[in-house]
DNA sequence: CTGAAAGCGCTTACAG
DNA sequence: CTGAAAGCGCTTACAG
């Protein structure tokens, strides 16, 4: 089925059918004729021909560092849902945490004439910004921010602050903060920053900062060093994954959480609810963030104005892993 | 940059450049000229024009019921990796467990002239097969099988059998099997079937079969009914998710796993390793299955022969959640 | 091995 | 409101 055949069957010109399809001005009677033929034949326009001419598509490319992460999948679900609603299509490009492939993807997507790019960002390099500039496609960063880009971020700093206030309120005064590299602004810097602010009000509070990777198993290995040498009443972990590792390590040591040691995370991953004890965490609403991201990129694609930075919120989820001290 | 400009710069005809691009016969000297110009200009062919003419793409569409599942993401990672290697592109279509959207996706993908479809199947209906027949695109089922289709399945029955033998070997004789609907052939029927075979050798073995959904929280709710009324020494759960729910429920009741109650799952989800106790399970190799699926669909696309059914294997992962009874 | 020409299915000025 | 024609960037017989 081509537009030509439809035209013939409806007794009009191809251009008229095209106009009908694209909401141009078509007479009432012609409209009805065309409508009928299209319905009868089940005609669907050829996307390639369309894109070839229009030189753009209604596809939004989303670059993700990894597929097997709660944050990623929830965000993608939100993006997908919203994009579908606005008649855009989602194309997912997975880079397996390879920063080179991330850069490549930017160019490849641009080359495929996708309408816009959403980048679930981790670490941003100069090459990223060079790519953004070279391609003529709107880009939205998710999870990290930079003055050179539009971005949607989670409220990491505020989350760090509230979580800090909460554990202070529970009486904790000897704290281990298990963070990640400061190369990751959102997770490594912002969360810690907020947390520091929260405890800066207390004079009798002792905090030692440790660092690990995002890897759960590495957190398990790191545990003895923190616990044995420092003996904190609580370990504040920069991600739920790390918290999960610490919990596992503590339990392998025969410790009772939270009686012997309290633990908190950040993220709100589903599993934190079903561990025993369940983990107190600052939950980011990834799916909603995905919806916002989709709305924003579509606006950018259509040259509408948006804020340089959109902030998606979080909820403190109080559960069982933090002990109330006297 | 178009092929025309390249042709002009290289002093040859468009058709020659096209031939060069597609590996046709081109003289050595012409080849060098074209090569240089392409390198200098950074020319990349327009995908749409290409697909418009060739009437097909190198895109493999993968339809998934949900994005936020371990099995899905691992499978996708495997598919993506392999497809990339063979110069195909992956397009993911998420249906949010809506069977209507699943059918729609089949048609939509076909309409987009994708080369082949991989369907991570759950429940298969007549409409599915009708769609497969109507579209002229090769389809590969993953996770379920049907005589009307090529498929790649996990060795569910064998996994059920081995797991059954294992717990028998550990001395369990009063068993609760917590399964799912038989509408799901792989999970609901095959795993149970294998399990039944395993225990059929024992004369002194008592098994009661229960049913729940795939939902973790529902498994939690279901727990009292099973435990209180039947008091098994072990609950064999048809999925890791269900096992996770049962574990959580047992721990909320103050039970010790495995001393008071043993638990097993199927799947090999990452979390089963970090719960306390870690869960004994039959681990399917989802990523490898994804790789196999990608290889198979590419073969189908290229009209190569493949087996009607490919079976991806599993490993029994013995961990802490099963007690050894005297 | 190489080139001129037709055509893939659509959209978009341009006339009328 | 409607139609004829050109053109988007490529590929593919067909000649040579």
């Amino acid at each position: 089925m081509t537009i030509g055949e439809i035209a013939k069957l409806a007794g009009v010109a191809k251009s008229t059918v095209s106009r009908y399809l694209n909401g141009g001005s078509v007479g009432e009677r012609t409209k009805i004729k065309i409508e009928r033929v299209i319905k009868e034949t089940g005609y669907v326009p050829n996307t390639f021909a369309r894109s070839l001419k229009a030189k753009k598509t209604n596809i939004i490319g989303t670059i993700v560092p990894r597929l097997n992460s709660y944050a990623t999948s929830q965000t993608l679900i939100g993006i997908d849902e919203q994009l579908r609603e606005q008649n855009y299509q989602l194309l997912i490009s997975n880079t397996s945490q390879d920063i080179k492939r991330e850069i490549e993807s930017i160019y490849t997507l641009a080359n495929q004439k996708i309408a816009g790019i959403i980048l679930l960002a981790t670490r941003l390099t100069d090459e990223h910004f060079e790519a953004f500039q070279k391609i003529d496609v709107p880009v939205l960063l998710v999870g990290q921010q930079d003055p050179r880009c539009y971005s949607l971020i989670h409220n990491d700093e505020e989350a760090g602050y509230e979580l800090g206030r909460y554990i202070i309120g529970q009486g904790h005064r000897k704290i281990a903060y298990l963070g990640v590299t400061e190369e990751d602004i959102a997770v490594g810097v912002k969360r810690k920053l907020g947390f520091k602010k929260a405890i800066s009000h207390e004079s009798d509070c002792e905090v030692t900062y440790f660092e690990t990777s995002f890897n759960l198993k590495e957190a398990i290995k790191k545990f003895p060093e923190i616990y044995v040498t420092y003996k904190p009443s609580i370990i504040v972990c920069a991600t739920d994954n790390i918290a999960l590792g610490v919990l596992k390590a503590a339990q392998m040591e025969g410790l009772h959480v939270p009686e012997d040691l309290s633990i908190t995370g950040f993220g709100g991953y589903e599993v934190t609810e079903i561990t025993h004890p369940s983990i107190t965490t600052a939950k980011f609403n990834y799916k909603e963030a995905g919806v916002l991201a989709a709305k924003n990129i579509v606006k950018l694609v259509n040259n509408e104005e948006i804020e340089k930075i959109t902030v998606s919120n979080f909820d403190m989820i109080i559960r069982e892993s933090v002990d109330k001290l006297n």
Side-chain angles (χ1 to χ4, degrees), chain A:
Chain A
M1 264 311 117
T2 75
I3 203 172
E5 303 179 59
I6 300 298
K8 195 166 288 174
L9 285 172
V12 299
K14 291 193 311 182
S15 37
T16 307
V17 178
S18 174
R19 236 177 276 117
Y20 164 82
L21 254 19
N22 297 291
S25 50
V26 182
E28 194 54 38
R29 302 201 43 206
T30 349
K31 188 178 284 182
I32 294 173
K33 279 192 292 185
I34 298 176
E35 220 153 40
R36 244 201 34 198
V37 176
I38 288 184
K39 189 159 284 174
E40 277 169 8
T41 56
Y43 165 75
V44 192
N46 180 311
T47 330
F48 302 118
R50 212 169 221 185
S51 306
L52 175 57
K53 201 58 185 124
K55 302 208 166 194
K56 65 176 233 182
T57 63
N58 62 158
I59 299 172
I60 300 293
T62 299
I63 304 175
V64 303
R66 42 191 299 218
L67 245 17
N68 53 343
S69 128
Y70 176 76
T72 299
S73 51
Q74 290 302 115
T75 310
L76 284 176
I77 289 170
I79 294 175
D80 190 37
E81 236 167 53
Q82 184 59 32
L83 248 30
R84 197 178 294 269
E85 195 142 304
Q86 303 196 230
N87 277 312
Y88 279 78
Q89 208 193 127
L90 169 63
L91 178 66
I92 300 167
S93 179
N94 174 39
T95 65
S96 302
Q97 309 192 72
D98 181 339
I99 211 125
K100 238 195 200 148
R101 252 168 68 179
E102 199 164 297
I103 307 288
E104 269 175 36
S105 289
I106 298 170
Y107 290 111
T108 310
L109 288 175
N111 197 259
Q112 290 184 81
K113 311 281 187 282
I114 50 131
I117 294 180
I118 296 174
L119 174 63
L120 302 203
T122 51
R123 203 161 57 81
L124 261 9
T125 66
D126 286 343
E127 285 175 277
H128 282 89
F129 297 106
E130 195 188 318
F132 295 158
Q133 226 183 347
K134 273 192 192 158
I135 65 174
D136 186 30
V137 175
V139 174
L140 176 73
L141 258 33
V142 172
Q144 303 282 353
Q145 70 185 91
D146 188 281
R148 286 163 283 184
C149 268
Y150 287 98
S151 55
L152 184 146
I153 56 170
H154 301 287
N155 205 340
D156 291 288
E157 188 171 338
E158 190 67 22
Y161 183 81
E162 270 210 29
L163 190 137
R165 289 316 300 164
Y166 170 72
I167 67 165
I168 290 292
Q170 295 301 100
H172 291 274
R173 290 295 180 276
K174 187 164 186 191
I175 303 168
Y177 185 97
L178 182 50
V180 299
T181 170
E182 298 211 342
E183 278 188 1
D184 188 318
I185 305 299
V187 182
V189 178
K190 292 295 189 68
R191 290 181 192 173
K192 185 158 62 181
L193 192 66
F195 178 76
K196 274 185 178 161
K197 276 194 191 152
I199 56 165
S200 66
H201 311 319
E202 310 303 315
S203 52
D204 61 339
C205 192
E206 184 187 338
V207 186
T208 304
Y209 293 87
F210 298 86
E211 190 176 313
T212 183
S213 77
F214 285 89
N215 188 275
L216 192 152
K217 285 181 184 160
E218 208 159 307
I220 295 181
K221 281 198 210 122
K222 191 87 183 177
F223 178 77
E225 172 191 338
I226 302 169
Y227 188 74
V228 174
T229 62
Y230 183 56
K231 287 269 179 198
S233 70
I234 186 168
I235 301 183
V236 174
C237 306
T239 77
D240 279 347
N241 244 333
I242 297 173
L244 250 16
V246 169
L247 173 61
K248 176 75 182 173
Q251 290 177 330
M252 290 192 311
E253 295 288 328
L255 295 177
H256 287 271
V257 178
E259 297 82 355
D260 301 330
L261 174 70
S262 295
I263 296 171
T264 63
F266 281 90
Y269 286 22
E270 263 172 335
V271 265
T272 57
E273 191 178 343
I274 58 158
T275 50
H276 190 74
S278 55
I279 298 173
T280 290
T281 186
K283 181 185 174 70
F284 298 112
N285 200 335
Y286 294 107
K287 187 171 159 191
E288 189 196 275
V291 171
L292 285 175
K295 283 183 179 164
N296 278 352
I297 193 70
V298 169
K299 281 185 191 156
L300 286 176
V301 166
N302 296 318
N303 288 313
E304 293 173 40
E305 298 251 320
I306 67 167
E307 300 286 333
K308 198 88 191 185
I309 297 182
T310 307
V311 180
S312 171
N313 238 313
F314 71 95
D315 297 298
M316 269 304 300
I317 309 287
I318 309 302
R319 289 201 278 237
E320 307 163 348
S321 66
V322 177
D323 209 14
K324 168 105 183 147
L325 302 184
N326 47 342

